[in-house]
Amino acid sequence: MDSQIKKIHQQLVSKQITCTALVQERLDLLKQNTYNSVNSLLDTLALDLASKVDAKIANGETIGLLEGIPFGIKDVYMLQGTYTTASSDLLKNYKSSYTATAIQKLLDAGAIPLVKENCDSFGHGSSSENTIFGAVKNAIDPALVAGGSSGGSAVNVAKEYTVFSIGGDTGGSVRQPAGYNHIYGLKPTYGRISRFGLMAYASSTDCVGPLAKSIEDIRIVLNVMSGKDPKDQTSIVSTEISEEAISTSTVKTIGYFKNFIESDAIDAQIKADFLASIEKLKAKGIAVKELDFFKSDILVSTYYTLAMAETASNLSRLDGTNYGNRIEGENLIDTYATTRSENFSEETKRRIVGGNQVLSQGFSDEIYLKGLALRDQISENFSKDFQEVDIILSPVTPSTPPKIGDSLKDPLAMYLSDAYTVGFSLGQLPTLTVPQGTSTGLQITAAKNNDELVMQFANFLKDTI
């Protein structure tokens, strides 16, 4: 699909449509949707911003490429004056007092926010069922899960309720739902986009990530949000990626992990489709190399060890005193305990308990420090791999999306569904889901800071597979 952003921009400039009519149409679609993808609509703000765009066009003023383009926001980003619930009971009445840097940059470019989108509570889940707003339904088959945790964002893009949406990716939370709903979803290099104003889940792997229906729209949105931010010390300087730079592929050699494909856990059809894609690339003259890597279960256990430790630390501030829905107890400690016990979901409590166990005295050396050492080894392995190959290609998931309800019965199986995404998060690498190659898409990964190469190869794949 060609760029929806450019198409709508031309329609606005040529006065084929008005921005107000465009925004009203998308708001109506969101109101009528039955996919549980909406937490709250920003209709007053959106229509006010749309009328200003129409006034500029009527006055003959030039508008920017993103000006008047409707988008959605996963409900873990601050947008001043709007509800920011994280799809949780604890924050269901919380209103942001400031705006996230990434969202502010989009507002400054003139993009129009329509909706706060449903997600797994605090990003905890791989199916978007762990939410007080009801399980998000898959855009292709509503009986299936949408994927998590940015499920609402993926569905809104897939159904064209929004032109693009902003999700958050910690261990695959943009890439997996993008694959389940047949759209593009990018986890950029860690630090390329400021995390300021994104509710922290696991701070060392959290990334702001766009979802859209074309590579060009991903590129446009990424460029706007990227850059060093004094409010986030982990953010980095980055250069703009031009359309010309990603129009021709320079990739000569790709690699794939044998243990991902030879695993007993992978669905037979996904395996067959992936290997067929590899053969098509060989036929185009691309060299293919099999790579050895950590077993999937080691990647998953390392990721969850560190992610649970970080989430236990990050969520310790949510005790009803400064934030959230306070429930009074007999004394202060009882108030803390009751507030957190009653307001956190079972999945969130499971991760907090696990994280506190990892960090507790007597266990931190044995478990947490071992996890940190493994993460260093994983990063070193990736560095060696990228001395041999330009790109790593992999399935996004080992299996197809489960039926709604099945994931909740087996949390361990849900964790293992992240097996093919979490390793790249631990390496802080740029990774893009493309809706091709297998029924849940393919994942393109490059070395750190090579986001441009990822999109370049995605354009090549679009014309090859």
Short mmCIF file of all heavy atoms in Angstrom, two decimals, residues 231-285:
data_model
loop_
_atom_site.label_atom_id
_atom_site.label_comp_id
_atom_site.label_asym_id
_atom_site.label_seq_id
_atom_site.Cartn_x
_atom_site.Cartn_y
_atom_site.Cartn_z
N LYS A 231 15.09 15.56 28.41
CA LYS A 231 14.27 14.96 29.47
C LYS A 231 14.46 13.44 29.57
O LYS A 231 13.88 12.81 30.46
CB LYS A 231 12.79 15.28 29.20
CG LYS A 231 12.48 16.76 29.25
CD LYS A 231 11.05 17.01 28.80
CE LYS A 231 10.74 18.51 28.77
NZ LYS A 231 9.44 18.80 28.15
N ASP A 232 15.20 12.85 28.64
CA ASP A 232 15.46 11.41 28.67
C ASP A 232 16.94 11.19 28.38
O ASP A 232 17.39 11.30 27.23
CB ASP A 232 14.60 10.69 27.62
CG ASP A 232 14.91 9.21 27.52
OD1 ASP A 232 15.73 8.71 28.32
OD2 ASP A 232 14.34 8.54 26.64
N GLN A 233 17.69 10.85 29.42
CA GLN A 233 19.14 10.72 29.28
C GLN A 233 19.55 9.51 28.44
O GLN A 233 20.71 9.39 28.05
CB GLN A 233 19.80 10.62 30.67
CG GLN A 233 19.68 11.90 31.47
CD GLN A 233 20.25 13.10 30.73
OE1 GLN A 233 21.38 13.06 30.27
NE2 GLN A 233 19.46 14.15 30.60
N THR A 234 18.62 8.59 28.17
CA THR A 234 18.95 7.44 27.32
C THR A 234 18.68 7.73 25.85
O THR A 234 18.96 6.89 24.99
CB THR A 234 18.13 6.19 27.73
OG1 THR A 234 16.74 6.45 27.52
CG2 THR A 234 18.36 5.84 29.19
N SER A 235 18.11 8.89 25.54
CA SER A 235 17.83 9.21 24.13
C SER A 235 19.13 9.55 23.41
O SER A 235 20.10 9.99 24.02
CB SER A 235 16.82 10.35 24.03
OG SER A 235 17.34 11.53 24.59
N ILE A 236 19.13 9.34 22.09
CA ILE A 236 20.35 9.52 21.30
C ILE A 236 20.10 10.43 20.10
O ILE A 236 18.96 10.62 19.67
CB ILE A 236 20.88 8.16 20.79
CG1 ILE A 236 19.83 7.46 19.92
CG2 ILE A 236 21.31 7.28 21.94
CD1 ILE A 236 20.32 6.18 19.25
N VAL A 237 21.18 10.99 19.60
CA VAL A 237 21.11 11.79 18.37
C VAL A 237 20.96 10.85 17.18
O VAL A 237 21.58 9.79 17.15
CB VAL A 237 22.39 12.64 18.21
CG1 VAL A 237 22.39 13.38 16.89
CG2 VAL A 237 22.54 13.61 19.38
N SER A 238 20.12 11.19 16.24
CA SER A 238 19.95 10.34 15.05
C SER A 238 19.78 11.22 13.82
O SER A 238 19.39 12.38 13.93
CB SER A 238 18.73 9.44 15.21
OG SER A 238 17.57 10.22 15.44
N THR A 239 20.08 10.66 12.67
CA THR A 239 19.94 11.41 11.43
C THR A 239 18.63 11.04 10.75
O THR A 239 18.12 9.92 10.90
CB THR A 239 21.10 11.11 10.46
OG1 THR A 239 21.16 9.69 10.27
CG2 THR A 239 22.41 11.60 11.02
N GLU A 240 18.09 11.98 9.98
CA GLU A 240 16.82 11.74 9.29
C GLU A 240 17.02 10.71 8.19
O GLU A 240 18.06 10.68 7.53
CB GLU A 240 16.31 13.06 8.70
CG GLU A 240 14.93 12.94 8.09
CD GLU A 240 14.32 14.32 7.81
OE1 GLU A 240 14.40 15.18 8.71
OE2 GLU A 240 13.80 14.51 6.70
N ILE A 241 16.03 9.87 7.98
CA ILE A 241 16.08 8.85 6.94
C ILE A 241 15.27 9.36 5.74
O ILE A 241 14.07 9.62 5.86
CB ILE A 241 15.50 7.52 7.45
CG1 ILE A 241 16.33 7.01 8.64
CG2 ILE A 241 15.46 6.48 6.34
CD1 ILE A 241 15.72 5.81 9.35
N SER A 242 15.93 9.49 4.60
CA SER A 242 15.24 10.03 3.42
C SER A 242 14.53 8.92 2.64
O SER A 242 14.88 7.73 2.75
CB SER A 242 16.24 10.72 2.50
OG SER A 242 17.09 9.77 1.90
N GLU A 243 13.57 9.31 1.83
CA GLU A 243 12.85 8.34 1.00
C GLU A 243 13.81 7.70 0.00
O GLU A 243 13.74 6.51 -0.27
CB GLU A 243 11.71 9.05 0.26
CG GLU A 243 10.82 8.10 -0.53
CD GLU A 243 9.62 8.80 -1.15
OE1 GLU A 243 9.49 10.03 -0.99
OE2 GLU A 243 8.80 8.11 -1.79
N GLU A 244 14.74 8.49 -0.52
CA GLU A 244 15.70 7.97 -1.50
C GLU A 244 16.61 6.92 -0.87
O GLU A 244 16.97 5.93 -1.51
CB GLU A 244 16.55 9.12 -2.05
CG GLU A 244 15.80 10.13 -2.90
CD GLU A 244 14.88 11.03 -2.09
OE1 GLU A 244 15.18 11.24 -0.88
OE2 GLU A 244 13.87 11.48 -2.62
N ALA A 245 16.98 7.13 0.39
CA ALA A 245 17.92 6.23 1.05
C ALA A 245 17.38 4.82 1.22
O ALA A 245 18.15 3.86 1.35
CB ALA A 245 18.31 6.80 2.41
N ILE A 246 16.06 4.68 1.24
CA ILE A 246 15.49 3.34 1.46
C ILE A 246 14.83 2.80 0.18
O ILE A 246 14.14 1.78 0.22
CB ILE A 246 14.47 3.34 2.62
CG1 ILE A 246 13.27 4.23 2.31
CG2 ILE A 246 15.13 3.77 3.91
CD1 ILE A 246 12.13 4.07 3.32
N SER A 247 15.04 3.47 -0.94
CA SER A 247 14.38 3.03 -2.18
C SER A 247 15.12 1.89 -2.87
O SER A 247 14.52 1.13 -3.62
CB SER A 247 14.25 4.22 -3.14
OG SER A 247 15.53 4.73 -3.47
N THR A 248 16.42 1.75 -2.62
CA THR A 248 17.22 0.68 -3.24
C THR A 248 17.97 -0.09 -2.17
O THR A 248 18.64 0.51 -1.32
CB THR A 248 18.25 1.28 -4.22
OG1 THR A 248 17.56 2.12 -5.16
CG2 THR A 248 18.97 0.19 -4.97
N SER A 249 17.86 -1.42 -2.20
CA SER A 249 18.49 -2.23 -1.15
C SER A 249 19.97 -2.46 -1.42
O SER A 249 20.38 -2.76 -2.55
CB SER A 249 17.78 -3.58 -1.05
OG SER A 249 18.44 -4.41 -0.12
N THR A 250 20.77 -2.34 -0.39
CA THR A 250 22.20 -2.64 -0.47
C THR A 250 22.53 -3.95 0.23
O THR A 250 23.70 -4.31 0.36
CB THR A 250 23.02 -1.50 0.18
OG1 THR A 250 22.60 -1.36 1.55
CG2 THR A 250 22.82 -0.18 -0.55
N VAL A 251 21.51 -4.65 0.69
CA VAL A 251 21.71 -5.88 1.45
C VAL A 251 22.20 -7.00 0.53
O VAL A 251 21.57 -7.29 -0.50
CB VAL A 251 20.39 -6.30 2.15
CG1 VAL A 251 20.53 -7.70 2.77
CG2 VAL A 251 20.02 -5.29 3.22
N LYS A 252 23.31 -7.62 0.89
CA LYS A 252 23.88 -8.71 0.10
C LYS A 252 23.73 -10.07 0.80
O LYS A 252 23.61 -11.10 0.16
CB LYS A 252 25.38 -8.47 -0.14
CG LYS A 252 25.70 -7.13 -0.80
CD LYS A 252 25.14 -7.05 -2.20
CE LYS A 252 25.54 -5.73 -2.86
NZ LYS A 252 24.79 -5.51 -4.13
N THR A 253 23.76 -10.03 2.14
CA THR A 253 23.74 -11.28 2.92
C THR A 253 22.75 -11.16 4.07
O THR A 253 22.75 -10.16 4.79
CB THR A 253 25.13 -11.58 3.52
OG1 THR A 253 26.10 -11.53 2.48
CG2 THR A 253 25.17 -12.94 4.18
N ILE A 254 21.92 -12.18 4.20
CA ILE A 254 21.02 -12.22 5.36
C ILE A 254 21.30 -13.48 6.17
O ILE A 254 21.87 -14.45 5.66
CB ILE A 254 19.53 -12.20 4.95
CG1 ILE A 254 19.15 -13.49 4.23
CG2 ILE A 254 19.20 -10.98 4.11
CD1 ILE A 254 17.67 -13.73 4.19
N GLY A 255 20.89 -13.46 7.42
CA GLY A 255 21.04 -14.63 8.27
C GLY A 255 19.73 -14.97 8.95
O GLY A 255 18.83 -14.13 9.04
N TYR A 256 19.62 -16.23 9.36
CA TYR A 256 18.47 -16.60 10.20
C TYR A 256 18.92 -17.62 11.24
O TYR A 256 19.88 -18.36 11.01
CB TYR A 256 17.30 -17.12 9.37
CG TYR A 256 17.47 -18.49 8.75
CD1 TYR A 256 17.08 -19.64 9.43
CD2 TYR A 256 18.01 -18.63 7.47
CE1 TYR A 256 17.23 -20.89 8.85
CE2 TYR A 256 18.17 -19.87 6.90
CZ TYR A 256 17.77 -21.00 7.59
OH TYR A 256 17.94 -22.25 7.02
N PHE A 257 18.23 -17.62 12.37
CA PHE A 257 18.62 -18.48 13.47
C PHE A 257 18.04 -19.89 13.28
O PHE A 257 16.82 -20.06 13.26
CB PHE A 257 18.17 -17.90 14.82
CG PHE A 257 18.86 -16.60 15.15
CD1 PHE A 257 18.13 -15.46 15.43
CD2 PHE A 257 20.24 -16.52 15.15
CE1 PHE A 257 18.76 -14.27 15.72
CE2 PHE A 257 20.89 -15.33 15.45
CZ PHE A 257 20.15 -14.20 15.72
N LYS A 258 18.94 -20.86 13.18
CA LYS A 258 18.51 -22.25 12.97
C LYS A 258 17.58 -22.72 14.09
O LYS A 258 16.59 -23.40 13.83
CB LYS A 258 19.74 -23.17 12.94
CG LYS A 258 20.45 -23.24 11.63
CD LYS A 258 21.54 -24.31 11.66
CE LYS A 258 22.57 -24.05 12.76
NZ LYS A 258 23.66 -25.03 12.78
N ASN A 259 17.93 -22.34 15.33
CA ASN A 259 17.15 -22.88 16.45
C ASN A 259 15.72 -22.34 16.48
O ASN A 259 14.82 -22.97 17.03
CB ASN A 259 17.85 -22.62 17.79
CG ASN A 259 18.06 -21.16 18.08
OD1 ASN A 259 18.60 -20.45 17.24
ND2 ASN A 259 17.63 -20.70 19.24
N PHE A 260 15.48 -21.15 15.89
CA PHE A 260 14.11 -20.66 15.77
C PHE A 260 13.30 -21.57 14.83
O PHE A 260 12.14 -21.89 15.09
CB PHE A 260 14.11 -19.25 15.17
CG PHE A 260 14.39 -18.13 16.15
CD1 PHE A 260 14.90 -18.38 17.40
CD2 PHE A 260 14.14 -16.80 15.81
CE1 PHE A 260 15.17 -17.36 18.30
CE2 PHE A 260 14.40 -15.77 16.69
CZ PHE A 260 14.92 -16.05 17.94
N ILE A 261 13.94 -21.98 13.73
CA ILE A 261 13.22 -22.71 12.68
C ILE A 261 13.16 -24.21 12.97
O ILE A 261 12.21 -24.89 12.57
CB ILE A 261 13.90 -22.45 11.32
CG1 ILE A 261 13.99 -20.94 11.06
CG2 ILE A 261 13.14 -23.12 10.18
CD1 ILE A 261 12.66 -20.20 11.19
N GLU A 262 14.16 -24.73 13.68
CA GLU A 262 14.18 -26.17 13.97
C GLU A 262 13.49 -26.49 15.30
O GLU A 262 13.43 -27.65 15.70
CB GLU A 262 15.63 -26.65 14.02
CG GLU A 262 16.31 -26.57 12.64
CD GLU A 262 17.80 -26.85 12.70
OE1 GLU A 262 18.32 -27.04 13.82
OE2 GLU A 262 18.43 -26.85 11.63
N SER A 263 12.96 -25.48 15.97
CA SER A 263 12.28 -25.69 17.25
C SER A 263 11.01 -26.51 17.08
O SER A 263 10.30 -26.40 16.08
CB SER A 263 11.93 -24.32 17.85
OG SER A 263 11.01 -24.46 18.91
N ASP A 264 10.71 -27.34 18.09
CA ASP A 264 9.46 -28.10 18.08
C ASP A 264 8.25 -27.19 18.27
O ASP A 264 7.12 -27.57 17.96
CB ASP A 264 9.47 -29.15 19.20
CG ASP A 264 10.51 -30.23 18.96
OD1 ASP A 264 10.87 -30.44 17.78
OD2 ASP A 264 10.96 -30.84 19.95
N ALA A 265 8.48 -25.97 18.79
CA ALA A 265 7.37 -25.07 19.13
C ALA A 265 6.80 -24.34 17.91
O ALA A 265 5.69 -23.82 17.96
CB ALA A 265 7.83 -24.05 20.17
N ILE A 266 7.55 -24.30 16.80
CA ILE A 266 7.09 -23.50 15.67
C ILE A 266 5.98 -24.22 14.90
O ILE A 266 6.03 -25.45 14.70
CB ILE A 266 8.26 -23.13 14.72
CG1 ILE A 266 7.82 -22.08 13.70
CG2 ILE A 266 8.81 -24.37 14.03
CD1 ILE A 266 8.98 -21.49 12.89
N ASP A 267 4.97 -23.48 14.51
CA ASP A 267 3.86 -23.99 13.71
C ASP A 267 4.41 -24.48 12.35
O ASP A 267 5.25 -23.80 11.74
CB ASP A 267 2.86 -22.85 13.50
CG ASP A 267 1.70 -23.24 12.61
OD1 ASP A 267 1.82 -23.04 11.38
OD2 ASP A 267 0.70 -23.72 13.15
N ALA A 268 3.94 -25.63 11.90
CA ALA A 268 4.49 -26.24 10.68
C ALA A 268 4.32 -25.34 9.46
O ALA A 268 5.21 -25.24 8.61
CB ALA A 268 3.83 -27.59 10.44
N GLN A 269 3.18 -24.67 9.36
CA GLN A 269 2.93 -23.82 8.20
C GLN A 269 3.81 -22.57 8.24
O GLN A 269 4.33 -22.13 7.20
CB GLN A 269 1.45 -23.42 8.13
CG GLN A 269 1.06 -22.75 6.82
CD GLN A 269 1.29 -23.66 5.61
OE1 GLN A 269 0.81 -24.79 5.60
NE2 GLN A 269 2.03 -23.17 4.62
N ILE A 270 3.98 -21.99 9.43
CA ILE A 270 4.86 -20.82 9.55
C ILE A 270 6.29 -21.21 9.17
O ILE A 270 6.97 -20.48 8.44
CB ILE A 270 4.80 -20.24 10.98
CG1 ILE A 270 3.44 -19.55 11.20
CG2 ILE A 270 5.95 -19.25 11.23
CD1 ILE A 270 3.26 -18.95 12.58
N LYS A 271 6.74 -22.37 9.61
CA LYS A 271 8.08 -22.85 9.24
C LYS A 271 8.20 -23.00 7.73
O LYS A 271 9.18 -22.53 7.12
CB LYS A 271 8.36 -24.18 9.94
CG LYS A 271 9.70 -24.79 9.58
CD LYS A 271 9.91 -26.10 10.34
CE LYS A 271 11.25 -26.74 9.95
NZ LYS A 271 11.49 -27.96 10.73
N ALA A 272 7.23 -23.66 7.11
CA ALA A 272 7.27 -23.89 5.65
C ALA A 272 7.25 -22.57 4.90
O ALA A 272 8.00 -22.38 3.93
CB ALA A 272 6.09 -24.76 5.24
N ASP A 273 6.42 -21.65 5.32
CA ASP A 273 6.33 -20.35 4.64
C ASP A 273 7.62 -19.55 4.80
O ASP A 273 8.06 -18.87 3.87
CB ASP A 273 5.15 -19.55 5.20
CG ASP A 273 3.80 -20.14 4.80
OD1 ASP A 273 3.78 -20.98 3.88
OD2 ASP A 273 2.79 -19.78 5.44
N PHE A 274 8.22 -19.64 5.99
CA PHE A 274 9.47 -18.91 6.21
C PHE A 274 10.57 -19.45 5.29
O PHE A 274 11.30 -18.68 4.64
CB PHE A 274 9.90 -19.01 7.68
CG PHE A 274 11.20 -18.33 7.96
CD1 PHE A 274 11.26 -16.95 8.11
CD2 PHE A 274 12.39 -19.05 8.04
CE1 PHE A 274 12.47 -16.30 8.34
CE2 PHE A 274 13.60 -18.41 8.27
CZ PHE A 274 13.63 -17.04 8.43
N LEU A 275 10.70 -20.78 5.23
CA LEU A 275 11.74 -21.37 4.39
C LEU A 275 11.48 -21.09 2.92
O LEU A 275 12.43 -20.92 2.13
CB LEU A 275 11.82 -22.88 4.66
CG LEU A 275 12.34 -23.25 6.06
CD1 LEU A 275 12.26 -24.75 6.29
CD2 LEU A 275 13.79 -22.76 6.24
N ALA A 276 10.21 -21.01 2.51
CA ALA A 276 9.89 -20.65 1.12
C ALA A 276 10.32 -19.22 0.83
O ALA A 276 10.82 -18.92 -0.28
CB ALA A 276 8.39 -20.82 0.88
N SER A 277 10.18 -18.34 1.81
CA SER A 277 10.63 -16.94 1.64
C SER A 277 12.15 -16.89 1.48
O SER A 277 12.68 -16.12 0.66
CB SER A 277 10.21 -16.10 2.85
OG SER A 277 8.80 -16.06 2.97
N ILE A 278 12.84 -17.71 2.25
CA ILE A 278 14.30 -17.77 2.15
C ILE A 278 14.72 -18.20 0.73
O ILE A 278 15.65 -17.64 0.14
CB ILE A 278 14.87 -18.76 3.20
CG1 ILE A 278 14.68 -18.19 4.61
CG2 ILE A 278 16.34 -19.07 2.92
CD1 ILE A 278 15.51 -16.98 4.92
N GLU A 279 14.01 -19.18 0.18
CA GLU A 279 14.34 -19.65 -1.17
C GLU A 279 14.12 -18.54 -2.21
O GLU A 279 14.89 -18.41 -3.17
CB GLU A 279 13.50 -20.88 -1.51
CG GLU A 279 13.86 -22.12 -0.70
CD GLU A 279 15.34 -22.49 -0.83
OE1 GLU A 279 15.87 -22.47 -1.95
OE2 GLU A 279 15.97 -22.77 0.22
N LYS A 280 13.08 -17.74 -2.04
CA LYS A 280 12.82 -16.62 -2.97
C LYS A 280 13.95 -15.59 -2.91
O LYS A 280 14.33 -15.02 -3.93
CB LYS A 280 11.48 -15.96 -2.64
CG LYS A 280 10.27 -16.82 -2.99
CD LYS A 280 8.98 -16.11 -2.60
CE LYS A 280 7.77 -17.01 -2.90
NZ LYS A 280 6.51 -16.40 -2.43
N LEU A 281 14.48 -15.38 -1.72
CA LEU A 281 15.58 -14.43 -1.58
C LEU A 281 16.85 -14.97 -2.23
O LEU A 281 17.59 -14.23 -2.89
CB LEU A 281 15.82 -14.12 -0.10
CG LEU A 281 14.70 -13.31 0.57
CD1 LEU A 281 14.89 -13.27 2.08
CD2 LEU A 281 14.68 -11.89 0.02
N LYS A 282 17.08 -16.27 -2.06
CA LYS A 282 18.25 -16.89 -2.72
C LYS A 282 18.14 -16.73 -4.24
O LYS A 282 19.13 -16.45 -4.91
CB LYS A 282 18.32 -18.37 -2.35
CG LYS A 282 18.80 -18.66 -0.94
CD LYS A 282 18.83 -20.17 -0.69
CE LYS A 282 19.31 -20.51 0.71
NZ LYS A 282 19.22 -21.98 0.98
N ALA A 283 16.93 -16.90 -4.74
CA ALA A 283 16.72 -16.78 -6.19
C ALA A 283 17.00 -15.38 -6.70
O ALA A 283 17.28 -15.18 -7.88
CB ALA A 283 15.28 -17.19 -6.53
N LYS A 284 16.94 -14.41 -5.81
CA LYS A 284 17.24 -13.01 -6.17
C LYS A 284 18.72 -12.68 -6.00
O LYS A 284 19.13 -11.52 -6.13
CB LYS A 284 16.40 -12.07 -5.29
CG LYS A 284 14.93 -12.02 -5.67
CD LYS A 284 14.74 -11.23 -6.97
CE LYS A 284 13.27 -11.09 -7.33
NZ LYS A 284 13.10 -10.31 -8.58
N GLY A 285 19.51 -13.69 -5.65
CA GLY A 285 20.95 -13.47 -5.53
C GLY A 285 21.41 -13.06 -4.14
O GLY A 285 22.58 -12.70 -3.95
#
